[in-house]
Amino acid sequence: MSPNENENHSVPITHPRYSSLQYRHRIIEGMKNLVVAEAGLIAHGRGECFDYIIGEKTPKTAKDAIKAAVASLLTAKKPVISVNGNVAALVPNELVTLSNLLDIPLEINLFYSKEGRVKAITDVLINAGATDIRGTNETLMTELKGLESNRRKVDFIAKADVIMVPLEDGDRTEALKKLNKQVIAIDLNPLSRTALWADITIVDNVIRAIPIMIETAQKFKKLNTNELLEIIKNFDNKVNIQKTLDLIIDYITTQKEEAFKILK
Ligand code: PTJ
């Protein structure tokens, strides 16, 4: 669902930041319903700030990373998509569409443990049509080595070879890498530890990146394994992050020139 549809709000549709404010509203509602952690509001604000300096649109570098990510998910033996409160509040339908299209489980994995949160997120995913949700049964959980936060408790992630982590805090990607797992991150901050440790880093907003992943998955499902492996082989995450940082510098330089035209 686009934020312009079916949402009751007090923000006029003509407001220049209408869409952005609608997503804020989803995060706030999510917090009231236990889906989003209190800190999720702050995380969202940090994301907005980074989104601003990439021009609030998907850069070419993110599109290239998305191609490698989808190829990687399609060729993986045991892929999984990790779900936290923010992503469940922002793009539940898109997340479920991607999971169903690629036949990949969604695993709820939270940094902030609080009574009722897993149930609230499970309900959101079920309402969006999810058929394979993991991370809900404590008896199936094991602990990831090298991680002390609540994120250490995992189910299918322990067995997975490729893990997609849309929008999250620092140290889990590092822990997953030390366990020889492949990590795909979506993070608006190209300098975060998650972004730097991941094998494939999509520097974009999850609200834009996941729909593009869906389109890409529809196309790539027609490719054979060798073609998909070639896409992965031709992708260099280090070069891609460097190019993203250059793009940010260029954007800020242009914005500086624009600001000077207004400043007296
Ligand atoms: O639901 P939980 O308990 O698992 O907690 C989730 C949050 C997000 C609260 C937790 O993982 C956290 O505190 O994360 P951080 O350390 O604030 O990091 C979040 C990262 O995601 C930052 O690098 C943000 O720039 C980035 N980010 C925020 N919003 C978006 C985003 N990246 C992509 N799309 C966004 N919409």
Side-chain angles (χ1 to χ4, degrees):
M1 181 177 69
S2 122
N4 299 357
E5 296 164 28
N6 301 331
E7 284 185 33
N8 210 355
H9 52 79
S10 53
V11 182
I13 200 153
T14 49
H15 192 286
R17 303 208 54 77
Y18 180 84
S19 174
S20 167
L21 292 173
Q22 289 306 303
Y23 282 110
R24 267 191 191 183
H25 187 74
R26 285 192 189 182
I27 290 284
I28 294 166
E29 282 306 306
M31 194 201 71
K32 291 181 192 160
N33 301 332
L34 288 177
V35 170
V36 173
E38 282 94 342
L41 271 71
I42 298 162
H44 187 75
R46 179 159 28 170
E48 283 185 344
C49 185
F50 279 104
D51 205 9
Y52 188 77
I53 61 168
I54 63 164
E56 293 177 303
K57 56 180 193 287
T58 304
K60 157 98 173 58
T61 46
K63 289 180 186 158
D64 290 343
I66 285 173
K67 286 181 191 151
V70 173
S72 180
L73 290 169
L74 280 165
T75 50
K77 289 190 176 69
K78 290 184 178 177
V80 61
I81 300 173
S82 183
V83 180
N84 66 19
N86 283 48
V87 78
L90 289 172
V91 279
N93 296 333
E94 296 81 349
L95 207 57
V96 168
T97 302
L98 186 67
S99 152
N100 290 345
L101 187 64
L102 295 174
D103 199 15
I104 296 181
L106 295 167
E107 177 157 336
I108 300 173
N109 178 276
L110 304 180
F111 186 80
Y112 295 100
S113 147
K114 187 174 181 180
E115 181 76 36
R117 284 197 69 207
V118 172
K119 163 89 172 69
I121 295 171
T122 305
D123 289 348
V124 165
L125 296 176
I126 288 174
N127 286 338
T131 50
D132 191 354
I133 307 173
R134 314 290 176 106
T136 57
N137 184 344
E138 284 281 339
T139 62
L140 300 175
M141 307 289 243
T142 51
E143 295 197 357
L144 277 183
K145 277 195 202 122
L147 199 59
E148 287 182 11
S149 75
N150 191 59
R151 288 208 191 281
R152 73 186 185 283
K153 295 184 203 160
V154 291
D155 174 359
F156 191 77
I157 288 174
K159 296 164 237 157
D161 55 348
V162 176
I163 300 140
M164 180 163 115
V165 294
L167 181 183
E168 76 170 43
D169 46 278
D171 54 354
R172 184 165 62 144
T173 300
E174 190 175 340
L176 291 171
K177 285 309 304 163
K178 287 184 178 155
L179 295 169
N180 289 323
K181 312 246 183 217
Q182 296 285 305
V183 180
I184 297 166
I186 308 179
D187 193 334
L188 276 161
N189 178 2
L191 296 172
S192 75
R193 282 190 302 157
T194 300
L196 299 178
W197 272 89
D199 297 277
I200 300 172
T201 307
I202 301 166
V203 180
D204 195 15
N205 198 320
V206 291
I207 65 179
R208 294 187 300 266
I210 300 208
I212 300 175
M213 289 189 84
I214 294 168
E215 279 171 34
T216 308
Q218 279 157 344
K219 286 185 202 143
F220 281 15
K221 278 185 92 172
K222 295 170 194 145
L223 302 184
N224 65 40
T225 306
N226 284 341
E227 288 169 316
L228 294 168
L229 291 176
E230 194 62 21
I231 292 166
I232 301 168
K233 205 180 93 192
N234 291 333
F235 178 77
D236 184 329
N237 205 43
K238 184 175 169 186
V239 170
N240 207 51
I241 290 183
Q242 285 167 343
K243 283 187 191 166
T244 307
L245 291 169
D246 287 341
L247 183 147
I248 289 171
I249 294 166
D250 289 349
Y251 183 74
I252 298 280
T253 307
T254 313
Q255 290 305 108
K256 184 179 161 194
E257 285 160 10
E258 291 300 313
F260 280 177
K261 288 182 197 160
I262 298 169
L263 287 166
K264 300 272 180 313

